Amino acid sequence: QHVLSTGIRRYHVAPVLCQRAKVAMSHFEPNEHINYEKLEKNINIVRKRLDRPLTLSEKIVYGHLDDPAKQEIERGKTYLRLRPDRVAMQDATAQMAMLQFISSGLPKVAVPSTIHCDHLIEAQLGGEQDLRRAKDINQEVYNFLATAGAKYGVGFWKPGSGIIHQIILENYSYPGVMLIGTDSHTPNGGGLGGICIGVGGADAVDVMAGIPWELKCPKVIGVKLTGKLSGWSSPKDVILKVAGILTVKGGTGAIIEYHGPGVDSISCTGMATICNMGAEIGATTSVFPYNARMKKYLGKTGRADIAALADEFQQHLVPDSGCQYDQVIEINLSELKPHINGPFTPDLAHPVSDIGAVAEKEGWPVDIRVGLIGSCTNSSYEDMGRSAAVAKQALAHGLKCKSKFTITPGSEQIRATIERDGYAQILRDVGGLVLANACGPCIGQWDRKDIKKGEKNTIVTSYNRNFTGRNDANPETHAFVTSPEIVTALSIAGTLKFNPETDYLTGADGKKFKLEAPDADELPKLEFDPGQDTYQYPPKDGSGQHVDVSPTSQRLQLLEPFDKWDGKDLEDMLILIKVKGKCTTDHISAAGPWLKFRGHLDNISNNLLIGAINIENGKANSVRNALTQEFGPVPDTARYYKKMGVKWAVIGDENYGEGSSREHAALEPRHLGGRVIITKSFARIHETNLKKQGLLPLTFADPADYNKIHPVDKLSIVGLADFTPGKPLKCIIKHPNGSQETILLNHTFNESQIEWFQAGSALNRMKELQQKSS
C-alpha cells in the first residue's frame, strides 16, 4: 500500500484480510474482505484510553478511526478522522461526485464504491414505460456514469435496479460496516447494524481518494424499546413517534441508537425503516444492535457467511453493559399506536385515530386524492405483504381504493419477488399502479395529472419527507407520512376520517365490515427472486476507458476550480436574501424537473433559493437587487452581483439546509459569487457541504441578532487573518442610514477545514497536497 505523507491512498488495495475467515463484503467484490479484527483492535485501544463502557455506535465509529491511539475523542466537540469501508452514490449526486473525483486527478477509487441509478426515472404511466422513457431521456447521463464507473473502479447499478438504500441493505450493509452515501437516507443501512452516514459528494470524494474522512464526534441518543409491536402498529410508527418527540433538528450532531428488549420484535427491514427516517430528525445516523432478525435477513439474502462471522464478533456489534447515552427516550411498543405525520413537515405527529378531527379543525382536506406506498423507507417484502393483506380483505368485500393508489418496489429483487408471490397482482386488483423500481414521487419525480397546481388537496404516503411541494411541486398539496398498511387502508376508505382500528367499511353487498390488522411474512418462504441482472462490474483495468463530457452538453459540465481566498476580510457584502422560516435543501436547490441538471453546475444554479421565502416581501423567488433597486428572481440577482464583482451573503433561520444531502445547495451559491451563509443554526450535512466548497457557514452567537440584519444592509466579516478553531468572527452590519453595529458569529471549523476555505474548496486543498507530495 502506497500512502502519501498527506494520508492519501494512491492505489486501490484490499484491506488487511481477516485471519479467522476471509469473508467478502459482498458477492460483487469477492476480493474485498470484512475486517472485524481491525475493528476489534481499534475498539480495544479506545476502550482502554477512555476507560468506560462503549455504546454500539461508539464501537463502530471509533473502530474506524485512522489513529485510535492518538485521536482526541470528546462527544459533540472534537473532529474524528475516520476510514470508512465503502462509498455509495445515487445517480443525481453521483454526477457531481464523479466530476469532482475526475478533477482530483486520481486514477482509481481507494475503497469499494458503487453508483445507483434511481433518481432520474419519472413516474408517469407505469414501471416498464417509465423506465424506457428514462433510459432514452437520460442516456447521456447514464453513459457518463457507466463509463466513469468503469474507468475509476466503481460498480454501476443500471436504471431499473432499484433504490440505492434497498440495494445497499440487500447487498452491501452488514453489522459493523462504516458506509458513507451521497444521500441523506443512507442511514437505512443501520437496520443491518452498520454505521451508514449521508454526506455530500465532496465527502465521498475524500473517501474514494483515500483521505481520512472528518466527522464531528457524535453525541449518542439512546432510544430504549420495550414491549412488542402488534396489530396495526408498525416499525414506521416508532420513528414517527420519535420525530414528534425530537422534532426535525432534535437529532442534530447525534447518532440515534436503538436498544432494549423491544428490538427483537422488529424485523430487519423494519429496523431499516426506522433508521432511514432518522434523517428527518437531523441525526448523523441511526443504528440497531446485531441480533437474530439481522442474521435471518443476511441468510435470506445469500450472506450466511457474513452472519456466521458476525456471530464470532458479536460482542463488538452490540453496546457494552452500562454504557452511557447523552439522552434517553423510552418507547413501549405494546402501547404504540399507528401514527400519521404532517402536513408540510415530517415531525408533526398525530395518532391515526385523531387525524380526521385535527384535519377538519385545521382546514386540511380530508378527502385523499392519492395514496402512495413504497420508497426507500417502506418497500420491503414485509411492507408489500402487509399492504396486500389489507387490500385482499377489501377485495373480498367487493371494494377497491376510492383514492388513486401507486406502488413503488424498492428494488428489482423486491419487484420480481412480489410478482412471483402474488402481492403485486393483489395491489393492482385493488386499484394500484405499479411504478418503476426507483424514487419516483418521493423526490418529486411525478408527472401528476389529477390536479392543477395551486389546487388544495391531500395525499398520504409511506415516504419519509413531506416538505411543501416536494412530491408534486404543488405548494397546496397536504402530504402525510405513515406506514404502507395505513396508506392502503386510508386509500380504500378515501378519507383521513377513517381509523382502521375502530371504523367500519361498507362492502359491495351493503354489509359493514372491519379490516383486520394485517399479518405478513417478514421474508419470502422461498428464496428471493433476483429478477433481471442490472449490475455492471468495473473492469480490472479501466485506464483505457474513455469518459465523454461534451463541451456543448446541457446536462454535464466539467468543473473549474473555485477561486482561492485572497487573504483579506470580506467587506461590504450585499445580502442576496434574508430567509424567513424553514429553508430546506429543497428550497435552496429544488429537485423535480431540475434533477436533469445535476451534472451541470451553471444550468442548475438557475434554481438557487427559488423556494426560499424572502422576509422583505413574504414571497418566493423575488428579491431586491441592491444595485438597481428592482425586484427579480434570486438566481438572476446573484448572477448580476457576480457580474459586477460584488460578494454576497445569505441570512437564514433555524436548521437551515435540513433535508436532502444534495451538495448542489452549497455548490450553487459558491458558483454564483456567494461567500457567507449566516443562520441561527444549520443542518449537519449542509453545513459540511458549505465548508467543502469554500463558503463560510456561520451562526449568530446570539440568535436574536438575526433581527438586527435587514436585507438592505451591508455586511463585513473581519478577523479572517486570525481565523482559528473555536474563536468567533466579528460581523459589522452597515445600515443604509450610515449607522453600524457589530455582532459575533460562531463557527465549527477545525484547522483542516479552515484550509479548505483558504484554498477555495476542499477539492482545491486535496490537489495542493497531492502536488506537494509528488
Side-chain angles (χ1 to χ4, degrees):
Q1 177 173 301
H2 182 101
V3 183
L4 299 179
S5 59
T6 59
I8 301 175
R9 293 178 184 165
R10 291 301 295 271
Y11 304 112
H12 184 118
V13 179
V16 177
L17 302 184
C18 178
Q19 294 174 8
R20 293 195 200 179
K22 293 180 180 180
V23 176
M25 285 187 184
S26 81
H27 297 308
F28 302 101
E29 295 132 359
N31 296 319
E32 300 286 355
H33 297 90
I34 294 173
N35 195 354
Y36 279 149
E37 290 194 335
K38 178 69 178 297
L39 185 79
E40 181 177 58
K41 180 181 176 182
N42 286 3
I43 290 171
N44 289 338
I45 291 170
V46 172
R47 182 185 279 113
K48 187 175 180 180
R49 285 182 57 204
L50 298 182
D51 192 28
R52 61 171 174 80
L54 300 176
T55 68
L56 168 60
S57 50
E58 285 184 306
K59 288 182 180 182
I60 303 175
V61 172
Y62 304 160
H64 285 83
L65 286 170
D66 184 50
D67 187 352
K70 296 179 181 178
Q71 171 71 59
E72 188 179 353
I73 299 171
E74 187 175 355
R75 285 186 196 169
K77 292 190 177 180
T78 57
Y79 277 88
L80 307 178
R81 289 164 60 87
L82 300 162
R83 293 284 187 181
D85 297 302
R86 63 181 310 120
V87 171
M89 300 166 278
Q90 40 95 333
D91 51 356
T93 50
Q95 294 171 64
M96 197 56 68
M98 292 310 295
L99 286 165
Q100 290 178 87
F101 189 82
I102 290 169
S103 182
S104 76
L106 294 169
K108 198 169 186 181
V109 295
V111 300
S113 304
T114 51
I115 293 170
H116 305 259
C117 294
D118 62 358
H119 270 58
L120 301 178
I121 303 169
E122 185 179 46
Q124 189 180 63
L125 301 174
E128 290 185 13
Q129 302 99 309
D130 295 345
L131 180 58
R132 281 198 300 270
R133 179 168 172 263
K135 286 179 177 178
D136 180 51
I137 292 172
N138 303 308
Q139 181 180 9
E140 180 185 16
V141 171
Y142 292 148
N143 179 63
F144 165 73
L145 293 173
T147 55
K151 185 173 183 64
Y152 296 105
V154 179
F156 180 70
W157 288 84
K158 301 172 188 176
S161 303
I163 306 173
I164 177 173
H165 311 302
Q166 184 66 31
I167 292 176
I168 288 172
L169 199 72
E170 292 172 355
N171 299 282
Y172 296 117
S173 186
Y174 59 83
V177 70
M178 174 171 276
L179 178 152
I180 69 164
T182 60
D183 190 281
S184 56
H185 294 104
T186 301
N188 191 82
L192 254 180
I195 290 293
C196 303
I197 302 176
V199 299
D203 273 353
V205 171
D206 277 357
V207 180
M208 290 191 292
I211 297 174
W213 173 61
E214 290 191 349
L215 175 72
K216 181 178 276 190
C217 187
K219 294 185 177 181
V220 188
I221 297 174
V223 178
K224 184 178 181 181
L225 302 178
T226 60
K228 184 179 181 180
L229 284 174
S230 62
W232 285 91
S233 296
S234 72
K236 186 68 164 278
D237 298 309
V238 176
I239 187 58
L240 294 176
K241 178 73 173 178
V242 171
I245 295 169
L246 287 177
T247 76
V248 290
K249 63 176 184 175
T252 302
I255 292 176
I256 311 298
E257 184 172 314
Y258 294 87
H259 62 283
V263 166
D264 291 336
S265 76
I266 304 173
S267 67
C268 177
T269 53
M271 290 187 264
T273 292
I274 294 168
C275 292
N276 176 294
M277 203 176 151
E280 271 50 74
I281 55 176
T284 301
T285 191
S286 302
V287 68
F288 277 83
Y290 177 59
N291 68 357
R293 306 298 281 266
M294 293 182 193
K295 182 174 182 177
K296 185 176 180 181
Y297 182 80
L298 286 167
K300 187 59 82 168
T301 52
R303 295 175 287 170
D305 53 347
I306 294 179
L309 189 64
D311 285 344
E312 290 187 50
F313 288 86
Q314 184 163 9
Q315 62 175 319
H316 303 302
L317 306 174
V318 296
D320 287 341
S321 177
C323 67
Q324 296 297 306
Y325 297 101
D326 294 283
Q327 179 183 349
V328 177
I329 297 167
E330 188 164 336
I331 296 176
N332 185 338
L333 300 179
S334 300
E335 298 173 356
L336 184 64
K337 289 293 184 179
H339 273 63
I340 184 167
N341 288 21
F344 306 123
T345 184
D347 59 346
L348 186 58
H350 321 272
V352 171
S353 57
D354 297 347
I355 189 61
V358 173
E360 287 191 322
K361 179 183 176 183
E362 297 292 338
W364 303 331
V366 295
D367 290 338
I368 298 167
R369 288 293 188 92
V370 191
L372 306 100
I373 65 169
S375 81
C376 67
T377 314
N378 277 112
S379 56
S380 69
Y381 185 82
E382 181 182 36
D383 289 328
M384 295 299 170
R386 285 173 68 88
S387 293
V390 174
K392 196 172 182 180
Q393 294 178 61
L395 289 168
H397 289 84
L399 295 186
K400 290 191 174 185
C401 291
K402 287 186 178 178
S403 311
K404 290 182 181 295
F405 187 51
T406 70
I407 302 99
T408 303
S411 69
E412 170 61 8
Q413 179 167 275
I414 292 296
R415 184 208 62 79
T417 307
I418 66 171
E419 288 286 0
R420 181 197 69 193
D421 292 354
Y423 291 166
Q425 191 57 49
I426 292 170
L427 295 170
R428 286 192 196 95
D429 290 343
V430 86
L433 174 66
V434 178
L435 301 174
N437 314 323
C439 300
C442 183
I443 59 161
Q445 285 284 52
W446 186 14
D447 185 20
R448 190 176 180 192
K449 301 291 190 185
D450 64 299
I451 59 157
K452 295 178 181 178
K453 191 167 183 177
E455 183 179 344
K456 196 173 179 181
N457 74 105
T458 284
I459 64 173
V460 292
T461 81
S462 70
Y463 303 163
N464 43 46
R465 206 162 270 166
N466 57 349
F467 302 140
T468 303
R470 177 176 174 86
N471 302 121
D472 60 3
N474 179 12
E476 289 300 325
T477 292
H478 293 56
F480 294 86
V481 176
T482 185
S483 68
E485 52 265 47
I486 293 293
V487 172
T488 307
L490 293 179
S491 298
I492 292 164
T495 174
L496 289 177
K497 296 171 70 175
F498 178 69
N499 177 10
E501 287 191 303
T502 58
D503 295 344
Y504 287 78
L505 294 168
T506 302
D509 58 2
K511 295 180 180 179
K512 292 187 177 296
F513 72 97
K514 196 159 76 109
L515 293 170
E516 297 295 327
D519 186 31
D521 294 332
E522 65 179 285
L523 295 165
K525 290 184 171 64
L526 302 174
E527 296 305 308
F528 275 109
D529 184 338
Q532 299 178 41
D533 182 8
T534 53
Y535 180 72
Q536 172 186 294
Y537 287 87
K540 290 183 179 180
D541 181 7
S543 58
Q545 177 71 51
H546 179 66
V547 181
D548 187 26
V549 178
S550 168
T552 59
S553 173
Q554 293 301 301
R555 296 198 61 177
L556 296 166
Q557 181 186 48
L558 293 174
L559 297 174
E560 295 291 332
F562 289 131
D563 59 303
K564 290 186 65 170
W565 176 56
D566 60 9
K568 300 176 182 178
D569 288 337
L570 297 169
E571 296 185 344
D572 293 331
M573 289 182 295
L574 299 179
I575 296 170
L576 178 65
I577 183 173
K578 181 178 179 182
V579 178
K580 178 183 179 182
K582 184 186 282 282
C583 189
T584 71
T585 48
D586 279 7
H587 294 88
I588 305 168
S589 176
W594 292 95
L595 280 169
K596 61 178 172 286
F597 297 126
R598 284 285 181 87
H600 197 293
L601 180 54
D602 194 56
N603 281 347
I604 199 169
S605 293
N606 289 322
N607 76 3
L608 174 65
L609 284 158
I610 62 176
I613 300 301
N614 179 10
I615 200 169
E616 187 175 6
N617 57 12
K619 296 180 180 180
N621 203 24
S622 175
V623 295
R624 182 194 302 272
N625 184 320
L627 301 180
T628 67
Q629 295 305 310
E630 295 177 356
F631 278 83
V634 183
D636 293 1
T637 307
R639 287 187 186 277
Y640 186 84
Y641 290 163
K642 182 180 181 180
K643 179 182 176 182
M644 301 304 291
V646 177
K647 297 180 175 67
W648 51 262
V650 170
I651 310 302
D653 211 317
E654 293 277 6
N655 206 34
Y656 183 89
E658 74 172 271
S660 169
S661 69
R662 66 190 66 151
E663 67 179 339
H664 297 76
L667 284 158
E668 292 174 33
R670 183 74 166 96
H671 175 63
L672 295 185
R675 298 316 304 246
V676 180
I677 313 292
I678 305 171
T679 71
K680 293 180 182 177
S681 63
F682 285 98
R684 174 191 64 86
I685 299 176
H686 186 60
E687 181 182 21
T688 301
N689 286 345
L690 290 168
K691 292 178 183 178
K692 287 277 185 178
Q693 302 307 335
L695 283 143
L696 285 176
L698 305 173
T699 56
F700 296 103
D702 180 358
D705 287 345
Y706 169 87
N707 299 315
K708 292 181 179 179
I709 298 178
H710 305 286
V712 293
D713 294 336
K714 292 183 178 180
L715 305 178
S716 295
I717 306 297
V718 298
L720 287 174
D722 189 31
F723 189 14
T724 54
K727 184 178 180 180
L729 290 168
K730 289 183 180 179
C731 175
I732 299 173
I733 307 168
K734 299 179 181 179
H735 302 300
N737 62 7
S739 66
Q740 63 182 47
E741 53 190 314
T742 301
I743 62 173
L744 292 179
L745 300 173
N746 292 330
H747 66 87
T748 59
F749 282 81
N750 63 16
E751 289 180 1
S752 63
Q753 293 168 353
I754 290 172
E755 291 177 355
W756 300 345
F757 168 74
Q758 293 169 339
S761 71
L763 184 58
N764 288 359
R765 182 57 177 157
M766 180 200 300
K767 292 162 82 171
E768 287 179 358
L769 294 174
Q770 283 180 271
Q771 290 167 0
K772 287 181 181 179
S773 298
S774 58

